Amino acid sequence: MPVAKDARLFYKQLFVLVGPIALQNLISAAVNSADVLMLNYVGQTALAASSLAGQVSFVLMLFYVGLASGLVMLTAQYWGRGDSYSIETLAGIALKISGAVGLVFAGASFFCPELLMRIFTNEPKLIQTGAEYLKIVSLSFLLMSVSQVYEAVFKSIEKVRIVTAITFITLTLNIILNAVFIFGLFGAPKLGIRGVALATTISRVVEILICIGVSFAVREVKLRPSVLFRKNTVLMRDFVHYSFPAMGNEVVWGLAFSIYSAILGRLGEDIVASNSVVAVVRELASVLCFGMAYGGAILLGKEMGGSNLEHARADASRLWRSVTVAGFLASLVILALRPLVLSMVTLTPTATHYLSLMLIISAVNIFGAAINTGFICGLFRAGGDAKFGLIMDSIAMWGVSIPLGLLAAFVLKLPPVWVYLILSLDEFEKIPFVIWHYRKDTWVKNITRDFDSEEKALE
Protein backbone atom coordinates (compact mmCIF):
# COMPACT_ATOMS: atom_id res chain seq x y z
CA MET A 1 0.00 0.00 0.00
CA PRO A 2 1.58 3.36 -0.98
CA VAL A 3 2.52 5.70 1.83
CA ALA A 4 0.77 9.08 1.87
CA LYS A 5 2.82 12.09 0.94
CA ASP A 6 2.52 13.66 4.40
CA ALA A 7 3.65 10.41 6.01
CA ARG A 8 6.69 10.21 3.74
CA LEU A 9 7.59 13.80 4.59
CA PHE A 10 7.25 13.13 8.31
CA TYR A 11 9.44 10.03 8.23
CA LYS A 12 12.03 11.89 6.17
CA GLN A 13 12.11 14.78 8.67
CA LEU A 14 12.16 12.35 11.59
CA PHE A 15 15.11 10.46 10.10
CA VAL A 16 17.02 13.73 9.61
CA LEU A 17 16.58 14.55 13.31
CA VAL A 18 16.71 11.08 14.84
CA GLY A 19 19.85 9.97 13.03
CA PRO A 20 22.11 12.58 14.69
CA ILE A 21 20.34 12.29 18.06
CA ALA A 22 20.65 8.49 18.05
CA LEU A 23 24.30 8.80 17.02
CA GLN A 24 24.87 11.28 19.84
CA ASN A 25 23.31 8.87 22.34
CA LEU A 26 25.32 6.00 20.88
CA ILE A 27 28.57 7.92 21.29
CA SER A 28 27.63 8.74 24.89
CA ALA A 29 26.83 5.08 25.55
CA ALA A 30 30.11 4.07 23.93
CA VAL A 31 32.02 6.25 26.39
CA ASN A 32 30.22 4.61 29.30
CA SER A 33 30.96 1.20 27.79
CA ALA A 34 34.62 2.09 27.48
CA ASP A 35 34.67 3.25 31.11
CA VAL A 36 33.17 -0.04 32.27
CA LEU A 37 35.59 -2.14 30.20
CA MET A 38 38.65 -0.17 31.36
CA LEU A 39 37.62 -0.07 35.02
CA ASN A 40 36.90 -3.78 34.78
CA TYR A 41 40.65 -4.26 34.41
CA VAL A 42 41.32 -2.00 37.39
CA GLY A 43 39.06 -4.09 39.64
CA GLN A 44 35.48 -4.81 40.65
CA THR A 45 35.66 -2.29 43.53
CA ALA A 46 36.58 0.55 41.15
CA LEU A 47 33.79 -0.52 38.79
CA ALA A 48 31.17 -0.62 41.55
CA ALA A 49 32.36 2.67 43.13
CA SER A 50 32.28 4.43 39.76
CA SER A 51 28.73 3.19 39.20
CA LEU A 52 27.52 4.49 42.58
CA ALA A 53 29.39 7.81 42.38
CA GLY A 54 27.95 8.20 38.91
CA GLN A 55 24.50 8.35 40.48
CA VAL A 56 25.28 11.92 41.60
CA SER A 57 26.06 13.03 38.06
CA PHE A 58 23.12 10.90 36.88
CA VAL A 59 20.68 12.88 39.06
CA LEU A 60 22.23 16.19 37.97
CA MET A 61 22.19 15.14 34.33
CA LEU A 62 18.54 14.26 34.59
CA PHE A 63 17.85 17.73 35.97
CA TYR A 64 19.69 19.18 32.97
CA VAL A 65 17.80 16.82 30.63
CA GLY A 66 14.51 17.91 32.21
CA LEU A 67 15.39 21.58 31.95
CA ALA A 68 16.57 21.08 28.35
CA SER A 69 13.41 19.15 27.53
CA GLY A 70 11.27 21.92 29.01
CA LEU A 71 13.30 24.50 27.11
CA VAL A 72 12.93 22.57 23.83
CA MET A 73 9.21 22.22 24.53
CA LEU A 74 8.87 26.00 24.28
CA THR A 75 11.67 26.93 21.88
CA ALA A 76 10.62 24.33 19.27
CA GLN A 77 7.17 25.90 19.14
CA TYR A 78 8.63 29.41 18.86
CA TRP A 79 10.91 28.06 16.14
CA GLY A 80 7.74 27.07 14.28
CA ARG A 81 6.65 30.73 14.57
CA GLY A 82 10.07 32.06 13.52
CA ASP A 83 10.40 34.01 16.82
CA SER A 84 14.13 34.23 17.67
CA TYR A 85 13.54 36.86 20.38
CA SER A 86 11.58 34.42 22.53
CA ILE A 87 14.07 31.59 21.95
CA GLU A 88 16.99 33.75 23.10
CA THR A 89 15.10 35.03 26.13
CA LEU A 90 14.08 31.52 27.19
CA ALA A 91 17.71 30.38 26.83
CA GLY A 92 18.79 33.16 29.21
CA ILE A 93 16.20 32.06 31.78
CA ALA A 94 17.35 28.44 31.49
CA LEU A 95 21.03 29.40 31.88
CA LYS A 96 20.36 31.19 35.17
CA ILE A 97 18.47 28.24 36.62
CA SER A 98 20.88 25.55 35.43
CA GLY A 99 23.89 27.57 36.62
CA ALA A 100 22.47 27.82 40.15
CA VAL A 101 21.79 24.07 40.34
CA GLY A 102 25.18 23.20 38.84
CA LEU A 103 26.90 25.33 41.47
CA VAL A 104 25.11 23.48 44.28
CA PHE A 105 26.06 20.03 42.93
CA ALA A 106 29.65 21.09 42.24
CA GLY A 107 30.04 22.47 45.76
CA ALA A 108 28.53 19.40 47.44
CA SER A 109 30.67 17.01 45.38
CA PHE A 110 33.88 18.92 46.13
CA PHE A 111 33.40 19.68 49.82
CA CYS A 112 31.46 16.62 51.09
CA PRO A 113 31.83 13.72 48.61
CA GLU A 114 31.87 11.06 51.37
CA LEU A 115 28.45 12.21 52.57
CA LEU A 116 27.04 11.84 49.06
CA MET A 117 28.52 8.35 48.70
CA ARG A 118 26.92 7.23 51.97
CA ILE A 119 23.53 7.81 50.36
CA PHE A 120 24.21 4.92 47.99
CA THR A 121 26.31 2.47 49.99
CA ASN A 122 27.58 1.67 53.48
CA GLU A 123 30.72 -0.17 52.36
CA PRO A 124 33.86 1.83 53.37
CA LYS A 125 35.91 0.82 50.31
CA LEU A 126 33.23 2.00 47.91
CA ILE A 127 32.70 5.25 49.84
CA GLN A 128 36.39 6.16 49.83
CA THR A 129 36.96 5.26 46.17
CA GLY A 130 33.79 6.99 44.97
CA ALA A 131 34.59 10.14 46.98
CA GLU A 132 37.90 10.50 45.16
CA TYR A 133 36.02 10.39 41.86
CA LEU A 134 33.40 12.96 42.92
CA LYS A 135 35.90 15.52 44.17
CA ILE A 136 37.75 15.61 40.85
CA VAL A 137 34.65 15.53 38.64
CA SER A 138 32.84 18.30 40.55
CA LEU A 139 33.98 21.12 38.21
CA SER A 140 32.40 19.36 35.24
CA PHE A 141 28.97 19.65 36.93
CA LEU A 142 29.15 23.45 36.69
CA LEU A 143 30.43 23.42 33.10
CA MET A 144 27.51 21.22 32.03
CA SER A 145 25.05 23.86 33.22
CA VAL A 146 26.03 26.01 30.24
CA SER A 147 26.74 23.42 27.54
CA GLN A 148 23.46 21.53 28.07
CA VAL A 149 21.38 24.69 27.56
CA TYR A 150 23.31 25.67 24.44
CA GLU A 151 22.91 22.20 22.96
CA ALA A 152 19.17 22.16 23.75
CA VAL A 153 18.69 25.41 21.82
CA PHE A 154 20.71 24.08 18.88
CA LYS A 155 18.46 20.99 18.79
CA SER A 156 15.25 23.00 18.97
CA ILE A 157 16.20 25.03 15.89
CA GLU A 158 17.04 21.77 14.07
CA LYS A 159 20.83 22.15 14.28
CA VAL A 160 21.05 18.58 15.54
CA ARG A 161 24.11 17.73 13.45
CA ILE A 162 26.07 20.45 15.22
CA VAL A 163 25.22 18.91 18.59
CA THR A 164 26.23 15.48 17.32
CA ALA A 165 29.57 16.86 16.11
CA ILE A 166 30.19 18.49 19.51
CA THR A 167 29.32 15.22 21.25
CA PHE A 168 31.57 13.21 18.94
CA ILE A 169 34.57 15.47 19.51
CA THR A 170 34.24 15.74 23.29
CA LEU A 171 33.34 12.13 24.00
CA THR A 172 36.04 10.76 21.70
CA LEU A 173 38.47 12.93 23.65
CA ASN A 174 36.97 11.50 26.84
CA ILE A 175 37.62 7.90 25.75
CA ILE A 176 41.22 8.69 24.78
CA LEU A 177 41.91 10.52 28.04
CA ASN A 178 40.28 7.71 30.03
CA ALA A 179 42.76 5.24 28.59
CA VAL A 180 45.66 7.62 29.15
CA PHE A 181 44.87 8.34 32.80
CA ILE A 182 43.50 4.94 33.84
CA PHE A 183 46.46 2.98 32.51
CA GLY A 184 49.15 5.68 32.63
CA LEU A 185 49.85 5.80 28.88
CA PHE A 186 52.41 8.13 27.24
CA GLY A 187 54.09 8.87 30.55
CA ALA A 188 50.91 10.08 32.28
CA PRO A 189 50.30 9.05 35.91
CA LYS A 190 48.32 5.83 36.42
CA LEU A 191 45.23 7.17 38.22
CA GLY A 192 42.59 4.42 37.93
CA ILE A 193 39.12 5.70 38.82
CA ARG A 194 40.51 9.20 39.41
CA GLY A 195 41.63 9.16 35.78
CA VAL A 196 38.01 8.72 34.65
CA ALA A 197 37.02 11.82 36.64
CA LEU A 198 39.93 13.88 35.29
CA ALA A 199 39.17 12.82 31.70
CA THR A 200 35.52 13.79 32.14
CA THR A 201 36.40 17.24 33.49
CA ILE A 202 38.85 18.03 30.69
CA SER A 203 36.30 16.90 28.09
CA ARG A 204 33.63 19.18 29.59
CA VAL A 205 36.00 22.15 29.36
CA VAL A 206 36.48 21.45 25.66
CA GLU A 207 32.71 20.98 25.18
CA ILE A 208 31.77 24.35 26.65
CA LEU A 209 34.43 26.15 24.60
CA ILE A 210 33.08 24.58 21.39
CA CYS A 211 29.46 25.45 22.32
CA ILE A 212 30.36 29.10 22.88
CA GLY A 213 32.28 29.20 19.61
CA VAL A 214 29.40 27.63 17.66
CA SER A 215 26.91 30.07 19.19
CA PHE A 216 28.69 32.94 17.44
CA ALA A 217 28.43 31.10 14.10
CA VAL A 218 24.70 30.28 14.30
CA ARG A 219 22.77 33.06 12.57
CA GLU A 220 19.17 32.18 13.45
CA VAL A 221 19.57 32.64 17.21
CA LYS A 222 22.09 34.87 19.03
CA LEU A 223 23.15 33.26 22.32
CA ARG A 224 25.22 36.11 23.70
CA PRO A 225 25.95 36.85 27.40
CA SER A 226 23.37 39.64 27.20
CA VAL A 227 20.51 37.08 27.18
CA LEU A 228 21.26 36.47 30.87
CA PHE A 229 20.11 40.01 31.68
CA ARG A 230 17.03 40.04 29.45
CA LYS A 231 13.71 40.36 31.31
CA ASN A 232 10.33 39.17 30.14
CA THR A 233 7.77 38.33 32.80
CA VAL A 234 5.45 36.55 30.35
CA LEU A 235 8.13 34.16 29.11
CA MET A 236 9.42 33.63 32.65
CA ARG A 237 5.92 32.67 33.74
CA ASP A 238 5.51 30.34 30.75
CA PHE A 239 8.90 28.77 31.38
CA VAL A 240 7.99 28.02 34.98
CA HIS A 241 4.53 26.75 34.00
CA TYR A 242 5.66 24.42 31.20
CA SER A 243 9.29 23.61 31.96
CA PHE A 244 9.27 23.05 35.70
CA PRO A 245 6.97 20.00 35.45
CA ALA A 246 9.38 18.55 32.84
CA MET A 247 12.32 19.21 35.17
CA GLY A 248 10.33 17.78 38.05
CA ASN A 249 9.48 14.69 36.00
CA GLU A 250 13.12 13.99 35.14
CA VAL A 251 14.29 14.63 38.71
CA VAL A 252 11.53 12.45 40.20
CA TRP A 253 12.42 9.72 37.71
CA GLY A 254 16.15 10.12 38.27
CA LEU A 255 15.94 10.22 42.06
CA ALA A 256 13.80 7.10 41.97
CA PHE A 257 16.46 5.34 39.91
CA SER A 258 19.06 6.52 42.40
CA ILE A 259 16.97 5.02 45.20
CA TYR A 260 16.85 1.81 43.16
CA SER A 261 20.67 1.93 43.06
CA ALA A 262 20.84 2.71 46.78
CA ILE A 263 18.65 -0.34 47.53
CA LEU A 264 20.83 -2.55 45.35
CA GLY A 265 23.96 -0.90 46.81
CA ARG A 266 23.05 -2.34 50.21
CA LEU A 267 22.70 -5.85 48.82
CA GLY A 268 26.40 -6.27 48.06
CA GLU A 269 29.13 -5.40 45.59
CA ASP A 270 28.19 -8.23 43.21
CA ILE A 271 24.73 -6.86 42.37
CA VAL A 272 26.12 -3.30 42.09
CA ALA A 273 28.83 -4.36 39.62
CA SER A 274 26.30 -6.34 37.57
CA ASN A 275 23.88 -3.42 37.51
CA SER A 276 26.61 -1.07 36.23
CA VAL A 277 27.17 -3.37 33.24
CA VAL A 278 23.44 -3.78 32.56
CA ALA A 279 22.99 0.00 32.57
CA VAL A 280 25.57 0.40 29.81
CA VAL A 281 24.09 -2.38 27.65
CA ARG A 282 20.65 -0.89 28.09
CA GLU A 283 21.90 2.55 27.06
CA LEU A 284 23.51 1.13 23.91
CA ALA A 285 20.35 -0.74 22.94
CA SER A 286 17.96 2.17 23.50
CA VAL A 287 19.61 4.91 21.41
CA LEU A 288 17.16 4.59 18.52
CA CYS A 289 13.86 4.51 20.42
CA PHE A 290 14.79 7.34 22.78
CA GLY A 291 16.24 9.34 19.88
CA MET A 292 12.92 8.96 18.07
CA ALA A 293 10.99 10.23 21.10
CA TYR A 294 13.08 13.37 21.59
CA GLY A 295 13.52 14.04 17.85
CA GLY A 296 9.80 13.57 17.29
CA ALA A 297 9.04 16.06 20.07
CA ILE A 298 10.95 18.74 18.15
CA LEU A 299 8.99 18.05 14.94
CA LEU A 300 5.61 17.94 16.66
CA GLY A 301 6.39 21.06 18.69
CA LYS A 302 7.31 22.94 15.54
CA GLU A 303 4.03 21.90 13.91
CA MET A 304 1.96 22.91 16.95
CA GLY A 305 3.76 26.23 17.23
CA GLY A 306 2.89 26.86 13.60
CA SER A 307 -0.78 26.03 14.41
CA ASN A 308 -0.77 22.87 12.24
CA LEU A 309 -2.62 20.88 14.93
CA GLU A 310 -4.31 18.30 12.66
CA HIS A 311 -1.01 17.57 10.97
CA ALA A 312 0.58 17.21 14.43
CA ARG A 313 -2.08 14.67 15.46
CA ALA A 314 -1.43 12.54 12.39
CA ASP A 315 2.33 12.66 12.88
CA ALA A 316 1.96 11.86 16.58
CA SER A 317 0.25 8.60 15.66
CA ARG A 318 3.11 7.76 13.31
CA LEU A 319 5.66 8.65 15.98
CA TRP A 320 4.37 6.41 18.76
CA ARG A 321 4.08 3.45 16.41
CA SER A 322 7.67 4.00 15.25
CA VAL A 323 8.95 4.25 18.83
CA THR A 324 7.14 1.03 19.77
CA VAL A 325 8.83 -0.87 16.94
CA ALA A 326 12.18 0.62 17.96
CA GLY A 327 11.57 -0.53 21.55
CA PHE A 328 10.96 -4.09 20.37
CA LEU A 329 14.21 -3.98 18.38
CA ALA A 330 16.04 -2.69 21.49
CA SER A 331 14.82 -5.74 23.42
CA LEU A 332 16.19 -8.01 20.72
CA VAL A 333 19.53 -6.16 20.77
CA ILE A 334 19.97 -6.73 24.52
CA LEU A 335 19.20 -10.43 24.16
CA ALA A 336 21.61 -10.69 21.21
CA LEU A 337 24.39 -8.90 23.12
CA ARG A 338 23.93 -11.02 26.27
CA PRO A 339 26.39 -13.83 25.38
CA LEU A 340 29.01 -11.31 24.21
CA VAL A 341 28.68 -9.21 27.38
CA LEU A 342 28.99 -12.25 29.66
CA SER A 343 32.17 -13.28 27.85
CA MET A 344 33.77 -9.81 27.99
CA VAL A 345 33.43 -8.83 31.66
CA THR A 346 35.49 -10.21 34.50
CA LEU A 347 33.25 -10.47 37.56
CA THR A 348 32.87 -12.92 40.42
CA PRO A 349 30.79 -16.05 39.62
CA THR A 350 27.91 -14.66 41.69
CA ALA A 351 27.99 -11.29 39.90
CA THR A 352 28.14 -13.04 36.52
CA HIS A 353 25.05 -15.10 37.43
CA TYR A 354 23.22 -11.93 38.45
CA LEU A 355 24.27 -10.22 35.23
CA SER A 356 22.92 -13.05 33.07
CA LEU A 357 19.45 -12.84 34.62
CA MET A 358 19.40 -9.01 34.81
CA LEU A 359 20.04 -8.70 31.08
CA ILE A 360 16.91 -10.76 30.36
CA ILE A 361 14.84 -8.64 32.75
CA SER A 362 16.20 -5.45 31.17
CA ALA A 363 15.34 -6.70 27.67
CA VAL A 364 11.67 -6.92 28.67
CA ASN A 365 11.71 -3.67 30.66
CA ILE A 366 13.14 -1.59 27.82
CA PHE A 367 10.14 -2.34 25.60
CA GLY A 368 7.82 -0.74 28.14
CA ALA A 369 10.26 2.13 28.67
CA ALA A 370 10.29 2.88 24.93
CA ILE A 371 6.49 3.08 24.77
CA ASN A 372 6.27 5.39 27.79
CA THR A 373 9.12 7.62 26.61
CA GLY A 374 7.55 7.96 23.16
CA PHE A 375 4.30 9.19 24.66
CA ILE A 376 5.48 11.14 27.72
CA CYS A 377 8.70 12.74 26.40
CA GLY A 378 7.72 12.81 22.74
CA LEU A 379 4.02 13.43 22.14
CA PHE A 380 2.85 15.00 25.40
CA ARG A 381 5.79 17.34 25.95
CA ALA A 382 5.60 18.58 22.35
CA GLY A 383 2.29 20.20 23.32
CA GLY A 384 3.52 21.49 26.66
CA ASP A 385 2.01 18.67 28.74
CA ALA A 386 4.74 17.59 31.17
CA LYS A 387 2.54 17.38 34.28
CA PHE A 388 1.11 14.01 33.30
CA GLY A 389 4.55 12.38 33.19
CA LEU A 390 5.42 13.93 36.55
CA ILE A 391 2.25 12.51 38.11
CA MET A 392 2.70 9.06 36.57
CA ASP A 393 6.33 8.63 37.62
CA SER A 394 5.58 9.93 41.12
CA ILE A 395 2.85 7.33 41.58
CA ALA A 396 4.41 4.36 39.76
CA MET A 397 7.97 4.74 41.05
CA TRP A 398 7.62 6.44 44.45
CA GLY A 399 4.18 5.13 45.35
CA VAL A 400 4.58 1.55 44.13
CA SER A 401 8.04 0.36 43.02
CA ILE A 402 10.21 1.90 45.75
CA PRO A 403 8.00 0.70 48.65
CA LEU A 404 7.82 -2.78 47.09
CA GLY A 405 11.60 -2.78 46.51
CA LEU A 406 12.29 -1.80 50.13
CA LEU A 407 9.89 -4.47 51.33
CA ALA A 408 11.45 -7.13 49.12
CA ALA A 409 15.04 -6.22 50.03
CA PHE A 410 14.92 -5.50 53.75
CA VAL A 411 11.76 -7.12 55.12
CA LEU A 412 11.22 -10.21 52.98
CA LYS A 413 14.98 -10.37 52.25
CA LEU A 414 14.46 -11.76 48.75
CA PRO A 415 17.47 -12.59 46.55
CA PRO A 416 19.01 -9.49 44.88
CA VAL A 417 17.84 -10.43 41.38
CA TRP A 418 14.24 -10.68 42.61
CA VAL A 419 14.60 -7.19 44.06
CA TYR A 420 15.91 -5.97 40.69
CA LEU A 421 12.91 -7.56 38.94
CA ILE A 422 10.44 -5.86 41.27
CA LEU A 423 12.13 -2.49 40.72
CA SER A 424 11.85 -3.02 36.95
CA LEU A 425 8.05 -3.34 36.87
CA ASP A 426 7.29 0.40 36.99
CA GLU A 427 7.21 0.85 33.20
CA PHE A 428 4.37 -1.62 32.75
CA GLU A 429 2.40 -0.05 35.58
CA LYS A 430 2.23 3.20 33.55
CA ILE A 431 1.32 1.96 30.04
CA PRO A 432 -2.50 1.65 30.39
CA PHE A 433 -2.77 5.18 31.85
CA VAL A 434 -0.42 6.62 29.22
CA ILE A 435 -2.56 5.24 26.38
CA TRP A 436 -5.72 6.56 28.08
CA HIS A 437 -4.19 10.06 28.31
CA TYR A 438 -3.14 9.95 24.65
CA ARG A 439 -6.69 9.19 23.54
CA LYS A 440 -8.05 12.16 25.53
CA ASP A 441 -6.28 14.42 22.97
CA THR A 442 -5.89 17.30 25.46
CA TRP A 443 -2.11 17.45 24.95
CA VAL A 444 -2.27 18.89 21.39
CA LYS A 445 -1.76 22.64 21.98
CA ASN A 446 -0.08 25.74 20.60
CA ILE A 447 1.56 27.29 23.69
CA THR A 448 3.33 30.24 22.03
CA ARG A 449 2.61 33.94 22.64
CA ASP A 450 2.19 36.74 20.13
CA PHE A 451 4.58 39.41 21.34
CA ASP A 452 3.21 41.94 18.91
CA SER A 453 0.46 42.38 21.49
CA GLU A 454 2.52 41.62 24.62
CA GLU A 455 4.77 44.02 26.46
CA LYS A 456 8.46 43.33 25.92
CA ALA A 457 10.98 44.30 28.54
CA LEU A 458 14.48 44.45 27.15
CA GLU A 459 17.53 45.95 28.81
Side-chain angles (χ1 to χ4, degrees), residues 335-407:
L335 293 175
L337 288 176
R338 181 169 164 262
L340 178 63
V341 172
L342 292 173
S343 67
M344 290 179 66
V345 296
T346 307
L347 303 175
T348 66
T350 300
T352 302
H353 174 66
Y354 289 162
L355 176 60
S356 177
L357 296 174
M358 290 164 70
L359 285 170
I360 296 173
I361 294 169
S362 186
V364 177
N365 172 268
I366 201 170
F367 179 68
I371 294 173
N372 289 324
T373 303
F375 280 110
I376 293 173
C377 299
L379 277 60
F380 302 160
R381 287 191 188 174
D385 184 0
K387 289 181 181 178
F388 178 79
L390 173 60
I391 293 169
M392 283 308 306
D393 281 333
S394 298
I395 295 172
M397 302 180 84
W398 289 90
V400 180
S401 291
I402 288 177
L404 288 179
L406 291 169
L407 179 67

Side-chain angles (χ1 to χ4, degrees), residues 167-338:
T167 302
F168 178 79
I169 293 169
T170 56
L171 294 187
T172 300
L173 176 63
N174 197 351
I175 292 177
I176 295 171
L177 292 178
N178 277 344
V180 169
F181 292 127
I182 290 174
F183 302 116
L185 304 178
F186 309 115
K190 193 173 182 179
L191 299 175
I193 189 174
R194 291 175 296 165
V196 175
L198 182 58
T200 298
T201 302
I202 294 173
S203 300
R204 292 297 181 187
V205 171
V206 172
E207 180 182 42
I208 195 172
L209 291 175
I210 295 175
C211 283
I212 293 171
V214 168
S215 69
F216 283 93
V218 172
R219 295 180 180 179
E220 294 87 348
V221 175
K222 306 299 182 185
L223 295 180
R224 303 295 186 260
S226 59
V227 300
L228 286 167
F229 306 101
R230 219 181 253 189
K231 296 178 181 178
N232 186 298
T233 56
V234 174
L235 284 176
M236 172 61 86
R237 188 167 60 246
D238 281 353
F239 187 86
V240 171
H241 178 75
Y242 291 109
S243 297
F244 274 35
M247 286 187 283
N249 189 188
E250 296 293 344
V251 171
V252 162
W253 184 83
L255 286 175
F257 256 92
S258 293
I259 297 296
Y260 292 0
S261 295
I263 292 172
L264 296 175
R266 282 162 173 76
L267 299 180
E269 186 178 293
D270 287 327
I271 192 73
V272 173
S274 301
N275 190 41
S276 67
V277 177
V278 171
V280 171
V281 175
R282 178 189 174 90
E283 189 177 4
L284 283 169
S286 64
V287 293
L288 179 60
C289 47
F290 293 163
M292 279 187 173
Y294 288 103
I298 295 171
L299 284 180
L300 295 179
K302 182 181 177 182
E303 289 173 350
M304 293 181 203
S307 297
N308 299 315
L309 299 186
E310 288 305 316
H311 199 175
R313 285 187 180 91
D315 286 344
S317 178
R318 295 168 186 135
L319 177 63
W320 77 256
R321 287 181 170 83
S322 300
V323 174
T324 301
V325 172
F328 179 71
L329 294 176
S331 298
L332 296 180
V333 168
I334 291 179
L335 293 175
L337 288 176
R338 181 169 164 262

Side-chain angles (χ1 to χ4, degrees), residues 6 19 42 89 117 127 132 233 238 260 297 313 369 371 411 419 452:
D6 285 346
V42 177
T89 305
M117 284 300 299
I127 292 172
E132 293 176 358
T233 56
D238 281 353
Y260 292 0
R313 285 187 180 91
I371 294 173
V411 178
V419 176
D452 290 336

